[in-house]
Amino acid sequence: MDERAIGIWDSGLGGLTVVRAMQARLPGERILYFGDTARVPYGTKGAETVRRFARQNSAFLLEKGVKLMVVACNTASAVALDDLAGRLPVPVVGVIAPGARAAAAATASGIVGVIGTPATIQSGAYAGALQAARGGLSVESRACPLFVPLVEEGWLDHPATRLIAGEYLAPLAASGVDTLVLGCTHYPLLAPLLAEIMGEGVRLVDSAAETAREVARRLAADGLLAPEGAAGGLECFVSDLPLRFRQVGELFLGRRIDAIQLVDFQTKEKV
Ligand code: DGL
């Protein structure tokens, strides 16, 4: 049993979809969330930059004494997880491997679709994790850069989103995928629309839900679960307070956000 909090960070507020899934599965755990709202988006940035941000975000939460680190951002998980795992003194869980394992187990046709940010898709991390989970799978990947701003606009079932999603998903639907990995923090909010466009025979895999399952497994295996009956809780930190941040954050979390603290950990760096 371990009363310390779990650290979760993301490039912004999208990782609150992972927090939401974690709170549903592990209600007794205390969660410290950091959203790098000052530097979002990561999905169009270079790998070396994202790795530097990843080290800084992790250091911030480590200083607060977390027992396990969750990298909720798919882009950062894709390009920075190995680097972090070699450096951090606590277990690190990313969102790629859990999503890939669930998809590999679910597919009957052996053809799996993956959608994500340009950086995630370009990294090939999902394709690699799918192959590692089950050799011989065929993977069809597609970057969907317009989904992040559309979700942040709250256009979850808007004609413009429908049109763009139809355009992005057409090649995947045509290639015979029967399983589609939602490889970005923002995409679970589009799940009803994406499911409708892909059609009934296609199963959507939500990396957030799969990651929560993996965290629960890891905590139990390492003896790190919170004591039975613990109250749990959520504390949020952000590096900027963007316009509409509460509205957008609550969209991801699915309920009210009580307290958010603004932090400026970068001032510690030498210029
Ligand atoms: N959190 C990012 C991801 O899951 C999406 C937003 C961004 O580009 O930073 O890939």
Side-chain angles (χ1 to χ4, degrees), residues 71-87:
V71 180
C73 179
N74 284 257
T75 303
S77 293
V79 303
L81 201 76
D82 292 346
D83 179 53
L84 281 184
R87 291 171 189 265

Side-chain angles (χ1 to χ4, degrees), residues 10-15 39-45 72-76 95 116-118 120 148 152 183-187:
D10 176 44
S11 57
L13 298 174
R39 302 188 290 196
V40 69
Y42 286 10
T44 48
K45 292 193 169 71
C73 179
N74 284 257
T75 303
V95 289
T117 65
T120 297
V148 166
E152 298 210 349
C184 173
T185 46
H186 289 53
Y187 300 175

